[in-house]
Amino acid sequence: APGPVVMAWEPYNEARLQQLQREGRTVLVDFTAKWCVNCIVNYNVAINTEETGRLVRELDAVPMLADWTDHDEAIQAKLQELDSNSIPVLAIFPGSDPSNPIILRDLVSQGEVLTALRQAGPSIAPATASVAARESDDRNR
């Protein structure tokens, strides 16, 4: 049985992921499936844990669960985009640099997940995102 839910997981949805990225949010996507033993181990020991939950809240990140149990085609397409043809895959999209996700494959430790989240860094406010864009526009004029 799954342990207590320590994070408000959202189901994976590409449109929602892109919306969060436009808002400057750091997003953690856990690709998992009921038939994937290593995925369940990762979820229980390294991902859906108090430590990870605390850091996700601290970074104002959004956790998404991509459940590939029924071989959903949208999830398969996303995995291919991330150069993965198997799971477990944990992809962390930094709020400040969403086009460069940090990708952890196979079995992961609690420490590896926390390190990757810290590397991704906090969500940036939408205002900050647009100010940063404006400032670089000004510099490039």
Side-chain angles (χ1 to χ4, degrees):
V5 173
V6 296
M7 281 185 267
W9 291 97
E10 290 190 22
Y12 167 78
N13 172 296
E14 181 62 25
R16 172 73 176 140
L17 175 61
Q18 289 181 9
Q19 178 200 345
L20 289 164
Q21 290 175 334
R22 280 194 302 274
E23 292 171 4
R25 302 292 292 272
T26 293
V27 186
L28 162 95
V29 183
D30 180 25
F31 294 86
T32 184
K34 293 189 172 57
W35 41 261
C36 169
V37 175
N38 286 352
C39 299
I40 294 161
V41 171
N42 280 354
Y43 183 82
N44 289 329
V45 305
I47 300 169
N48 192 56
T49 62
E50 290 296 339
E51 292 90 331
T52 303
R54 199 174 305 127
L55 187 54
V56 162
R57 284 188 294 276
E58 202 176 293
L59 298 173
D60 190 28
V62 179
M64 273 192 166
L65 207 59
D67 183 349
W68 202 35
T69 300
D70 300 323
H71 295 280
D72 179 285
E73 283 176 17
I75 291 174
Q76 185 158 355
K78 194 66 178 180
L79 282 166
Q80 284 167 345
E81 190 187 305
L82 299 170
D83 293 326
S84 288
N85 48 19
S86 65
I87 52 174
V89 170
L90 182 67
I92 304 170
F93 297 86
S96 57
D97 192 8
S99 57
N100 283 305
I102 296 162
I103 300 169
L104 303 179
R105 295 182 171 86
D106 307 314
L107 281 169
V108 294
S109 69
Q110 176 69 82
E112 285 170 320
V113 172
L114 296 176
T115 299
L117 275 165
R118 288 194 189 99
Q119 193 184 334
S123 293
I124 56 174
T128 312
S130 57
V131 165
R134 274 202 307 275
E135 281 173 358
S136 70
D137 283 352
D138 290 345
R139 276 199 300 277
N140 296 333
R141 278 206 186 94

